[in-house]
Amino acid sequence: MKHTEVVKIATAKRLIERYFRQLTEGCGNSNCTNEFCASCSTCQPLGNNAAAAKALELFKVNAKLCDYYPSVESRSDENSRLRREMSTEEFSDVHYLTEHTVCRILSACEEEGNYSALVRVIGRIFSNADALMKSFRKEEPSAAAKTLNSLKSKGEEKQSDQSSEKKLSSSASSPDETPNGIPNSFESSVDIDAVRRVYDKLLSVDQVESALVNAIIYLTPNVELDLEYLDVYEANPDYLNIFIIVMENSNLHSPEYLEVALPLFCKAMSKLPLTALARLSKLWSTFGLPHVRRMMETFQQLITFTVVSNEYGVENLINDDETVVAATKCLRVVFYAIILGGEVDVEHNEEDDEDAESDELTLHELLGEDRLYKKGPLVDPLEKELSVRPIDSVKPLIPFEDFVNESVNEVIEMDKDFTFFKVNAETKFSFQSCPFILSVITKSQGLYYDNRIRMYSERRLTALYSMVQGQQPNPYLKLKVRRDHIIDDALVRLEMISMENPSDLKKQLYVEFEDEQGVDEGGVSKEFFQLVLEEIFNLDIGMFTYDSDTKLFWFNSSSLENEAQYTLIGIVLGLAIYNNCILDVHFPMVVYRKLMGKKGTFLDLRKPVCETYIYDVSLTSDASDVFGNVAVFSPHWA
């Protein structure tokens, strides 16, 4: 049986039990108006058998449930029952929680030596969306404080106005931005510090844990429906408080939550609108490393627990597991939080050369392959909403590699996932939409499928053109080289192809060594690239320099070669990657950042780089930049 089916069965069982207790015991509210509750004056008493049948009927029609969740404690002791009822009556007027209220209830329970009243109140509030949303609000400034501030002397007012004008002028360019330039529109009405102090007190009481678990189980289905069909967040942005408060529970990673409560919670959280997820990510980015790491580990543990507990295959893909998908989507919110919370460089981007759009249909569109070959990579909607990209991260709060989940990478069917990513993105979840969870090996498999499909497509297009033009088809990119002149032959041939017909570079490479027999089934191409790289990065040629300390290559600023030669080398490296050949080439990170569209800055000097690279930067930077703002440099190869 699938894990999702187990979750549904467990949830249904608990709801039916709750209907049964409501029919037989009531909710404890003497003013209850629910006709299906024993506490209501108009409700007819039912026997156990009749109540069980009625509970099943109410479950099918999703009848109203009272907010109060009855405790499952034994009722054999009459005196104990009376004390519980008295305690419940004493705190029946609690409709939302504050730190003061929880401390008051906790003190009363400690005096009696009975925590049933606390358990009932916690269960009632945490299982009701409206009550939890109103809980733990930040305190408003008191009226006395406002009056005191209004009685300032004229001199103080003048001084205050002057300082305010200075602050306003200094922040006029970005009045609502954080130091990283991220809009500061994420503030919550929840008193986070109070919530954490309350959790510290509550989780020290053993009986409270089960109440919190059950409350989340009853809360989340209703929250999910509200988010999916009622647009509750748009009507009241404070609805996000529910997720903020629940996620502060430091025990969410424990087995009690992992089986039912946390999967349901993640499923509800994944239904939040994009603006709410962006706001939540910005808020979490301010929480600090320990709290953000705890959230990351909570979602990672749920994913791992679910994957290990199930068996996946071609017929049962991990992409169809609702728990794993929902937890991965929640993990994405944390991923962007660690980017926002770290050092970010949202500026210094290369200008994109956008091609003019044409109304003419391309051949790919005529063949119905336009979805596979959309221009540019797909942009994560959350990335677009936050206006920040992973490449903008200079130093995240948590290293990106900590987000890789090995359990997912072991069971994912990359060919199916790639199809979902390229073709069925609107109906099927693809883990490539959350690439932070994938390992380098898994990503390389996705790149392999992408490249192979492009090769087959180019082969089809070549065959089609050949039929139309009556020419001999040439489905491969053929290179015939001499071992003794491998660089000259390869670069000259590639230069001619790139100038005459650059689309041929997308064909599958076929290498042939002159005066040697053999069919290139991959091995010859790998040998070709290995020999070419040995020649290109040979220090005697002088195109690159090597730093023995960092073990990195850098461009030789005194090289006699022109930029066209470096362009050809770039084509060779691109061909190697395109044809699935692993290259043993090591450049500073600034090279890869530039390939992703980022300009180099002095921030890159903090990472391992070559001395020649630092020298190039010093030659191309203005002196005022050294002592002023972060400089943007452009070495000779840029």
Side-chain angles (χ1 to χ4, degrees):
M1 185 180 296
K2 294 183 180 180
H3 178 68
T4 52
E5 295 177 356
V6 175
V7 171
K8 291 179 180 178
I9 293 173
T11 305
K13 180 181 177 182
R14 291 180 182 276
L15 285 174
I16 294 172
E17 289 177 355
R18 187 175 175 191
Y19 279 117
F20 178 79
R21 293 196 183 98
Q22 182 173 286
L23 288 168
T24 56
E25 302 173 6
C27 65
N29 182 8
S30 58
N31 299 321
C32 181
T33 58
N34 186 357
E35 61 178 330
F36 301 118
C37 178
S39 297
C40 179
S41 57
T42 60
C43 180
Q44 297 295 328
L46 297 175
N48 289 341
N49 292 336
K54 187 66 176 177
L56 186 59
E57 180 183 338
L58 295 177
F59 169 75
K60 290 180 180 179
V61 299
N62 195 21
K64 179 183 177 182
L65 272 170
C66 294
D67 295 337
Y68 156 69
Y69 171 65
S71 178
V72 195
E73 297 176 11
S74 173
R75 293 168 174 75
S76 58
D77 188 350
E78 185 66 19
N79 293 331
S80 177
R81 183 183 65 82
L82 291 174
R83 285 198 301 270
R84 280 198 300 271
E85 289 179 357
M86 291 174 62
S87 298
T88 304
E89 289 295 329
E90 183 181 353
F91 301 110
S92 60
D93 60 337
V94 176
H95 303 297
Y96 59 89
L97 293 177
T98 64
E99 184 179 11
H100 174 72
T101 303
V102 174
C103 292
R104 182 165 60 91
I105 299 174
L106 191 58
S107 298
C109 292
E110 288 175 350
E111 290 179 2
E112 294 183 7
N114 184 357
Y115 292 94
S116 59
L118 177 65
V119 170
R120 290 170 183 270
V121 172
I122 294 299
R124 176 160 53 85
I125 300 299
F126 273 79
S127 62
N128 182 271
D130 291 332
L132 189 58
M133 181 175 58
K134 297 175 182 176
S135 298
F136 306 110
R137 295 292 184 95
K138 293 177 180 177
E139 294 184 1
E140 295 292 334
S142 63
K146 291 181 180 178
T147 304
L148 184 62
N149 291 333
S150 66
L151 295 177
K152 288 182 177 181
S153 64
K154 291 183 178 180
E156 291 175 338
E157 288 180 355
K158 184 176 181 181
Q159 186 178 0
S160 176
D161 291 341
Q162 291 175 351
S163 62
S164 298
E165 289 177 2
K166 291 180 180 179
K167 290 180 180 178
L168 184 62
S169 63
S170 64
S171 60
S173 60
S174 56
D176 295 319
E177 291 184 351
T178 62
N180 283 339
I182 306 302
N184 190 16
S185 59
F186 54 83
E187 289 189 5
S188 166
S189 58
V190 177
D191 189 341
I192 301 297
D193 293 331
V195 172
R196 290 169 182 168
R197 289 192 296 267
V198 167
Y199 269 121
D200 289 340
K201 292 182 176 68
L202 292 179
L203 296 178
S204 63
V205 181
D206 295 336
Q207 298 93 317
V208 173
E209 188 80 78
S210 60
L212 287 171
V213 172
N214 289 304
I216 293 176
I217 292 174
Y218 299 134
L219 169 73
T220 47
N222 295 328
V223 170
E224 182 182 350
L225 292 174
D226 289 345
L227 290 169
E228 194 165 4
Y229 299 109
L230 300 181
D231 298 329
V232 288
Y233 177 77
E234 287 78 2
N236 186 1
D238 283 341
Y239 204 83
L240 192 64
N241 293 359
I242 297 171
F243 299 92
I244 296 172
I245 293 172
V246 173
M247 281 305 299
E248 286 303 311
N249 186 343
S250 59
N251 278 5
L252 284 179
H253 64 279
S254 61
E256 292 83 358
Y257 294 90
L258 289 178
E259 292 195 10
V260 181
L262 191 56
L264 291 175
F265 177 79
C266 289
K267 190 177 178 183
M269 181 175 163
S270 65
K271 301 293 183 181
L272 281 169
L274 185 62
T275 53
L277 293 174
R279 185 178 163 209
L280 193 60
S281 184
K282 292 176 184 177
L283 179 66
W284 284 350
S285 69
T286 65
F287 280 9
L289 177 59
H291 298 287
V292 179
R293 179 173 286 279
R294 172 181 56 79
M295 294 177 190
M296 181 205 71
E297 292 175 350
T298 297
F299 293 129
Q300 286 279 36
Q301 194 155 351
L302 175 60
I303 294 171
T304 303
F305 174 81
T306 306
V307 172
V308 172
S309 304
N310 291 274
E311 293 184 4
Y312 300 99
V314 179
E315 301 297 329
N316 181 29
L317 297 174
I318 189 175
N319 305 70
D320 297 325
D321 193 309
E322 293 181 352
T323 299
V324 176
V325 170
T328 303
K329 291 179 179 179
C330 294
L331 187 63
R332 178 175 57 183
V333 180
V334 183
F335 177 73
Y336 283 103
I338 62 106
I339 295 176
L340 295 172
E343 296 181 34
V344 180
D345 175 23
V346 294
E347 300 177 349
H348 308 127
N349 297 315
E350 298 281 1
E351 295 182 1
D352 296 330
D353 296 329
E354 297 182 358
D355 297 332
E357 294 184 2
S358 174
D359 295 332
E360 298 181 2
L361 291 176
T362 64
L363 191 55
H364 285 306
E365 291 172 335
L366 291 173
L367 295 175
E369 299 175 341
D370 53 304
R371 287 181 298 178
L372 288 174
Y373 301 100
K374 294 178 182 177
K375 288 187 178 180
L378 297 176
V379 179
D380 187 342
L382 186 56
E383 171 186 311
K384 187 175 181 181
E385 181 72 19
L386 292 169
S387 300
V388 67
R389 304 171 299 167
I391 191 62
D392 296 330
S393 177
V394 178
K395 184 179 180 182
L397 278 179
I398 301 173
F400 287 167
E401 52 265 26
D402 289 2
F403 283 81
V404 176
N405 189 292
E406 294 299 336
S407 299
V408 171
N409 286 272
E410 289 175 1
V411 299
I412 188 173
E413 299 286 340
M414 205 56 192
D415 54 341
K416 301 288 192 303
D417 190 88
F418 178 80
T419 304
F420 298 156
F421 182 65
K422 282 289 187 178
V423 182
N424 302 327
E426 296 179 358
T427 57
K428 282 283 192 177
F429 176 79
S430 168
F431 286 94
Q432 291 184 73
S433 64
C434 298
F436 53 82
I437 203 171
L438 301 177
S439 65
V440 175
I441 296 176
T442 306
K443 291 176 183 177
S444 66
Q445 292 176 0
L447 183 63
Y448 170 79
Y449 288 120
D450 188 36
N451 294 337
R452 285 295 169 182
I453 290 176
R454 291 180 185 274
M455 291 177 184
Y456 295 150
S457 177
E458 289 298 325
R459 196 176 300 176
R460 291 177 57 192
L461 293 179
T462 301
L464 185 59
Y465 282 132
S466 301
M467 291 174 58
V468 173
Q469 299 175 359
Q471 298 177 354
Q472 183 71 21
N474 185 21
Y476 297 99
L477 171 61
K478 293 185 177 180
L479 289 181
K480 189 172 184 179
V481 296
R482 297 168 294 174
R483 283 187 179 271
D484 296 338
H485 302 82
I486 190 169
I487 293 294
D488 295 335
D489 292 351
L491 295 186
V492 169
R493 176 64 177 150
L494 289 175
E495 184 177 14
M496 293 176 58
I497 294 173
S498 62
M499 292 175 61
E500 296 175 359
N501 193 6
S503 62
D504 282 354
L505 296 174
K506 295 181 181 180
K507 297 177 181 179
Q508 186 174 352
L509 181 64
Y510 186 93
V511 178
E512 180 182 352
F513 287 103
E514 194 173 84
D515 298 330
E516 294 185 20
Q517 294 182 349
V519 179
D520 187 3
E521 295 182 352
V524 179
S525 295
K526 290 182 179 179
E527 183 186 4
F528 163 75
F529 284 119
Q530 183 178 357
L531 294 174
V532 169
L533 288 179
E534 287 179 0
E535 289 290 329
I536 290 175
F537 290 95
N538 188 337
L539 299 182
D540 295 334
I541 294 180
M543 296 187 72
F544 295 91
T545 60
Y546 180 74
D547 189 281
S548 58
D549 294 331
T550 61
K551 295 181 172 54
L552 298 173
F553 285 97
W554 186 248
F555 305 89
N556 188 353
S557 57
S558 59
S559 174
L560 299 178
E561 302 292 343
N562 55 29
E563 292 186 0
Q565 293 297 105
Y566 285 97
T567 301
L568 291 174
I569 293 174
I571 293 176
V572 171
L573 298 179
L575 276 177
I577 297 173
Y578 188 62
N579 287 271
N580 200 38
C581 292
I582 299 175
L583 304 177
D584 187 20
V585 180
H586 304 276
F587 287 111
M589 186 56 66
V590 64
V591 173
Y592 305 106
R593 284 172 56 81
K594 185 169 179 62
L595 289 173
M596 294 295 292
K598 299 293 291 186
K599 294 180 180 178
T601 68
F602 273 118
L603 296 174
D604 295 300
L605 297 180
R606 295 184 302 180
K607 301 177 181 179
V609 292
C610 303
E611 290 184 5
T612 309
Y613 164 68
I614 300 175
Y615 177 71
D616 285 346
V617 174
S618 64
L619 288 178
T620 54
S621 301
D622 190 279
S624 61
D625 288 327
V626 175
F627 301 101
N629 298 326
V630 177
V632 177
F633 62 84
S634 180
H636 74 280
W637 54 273

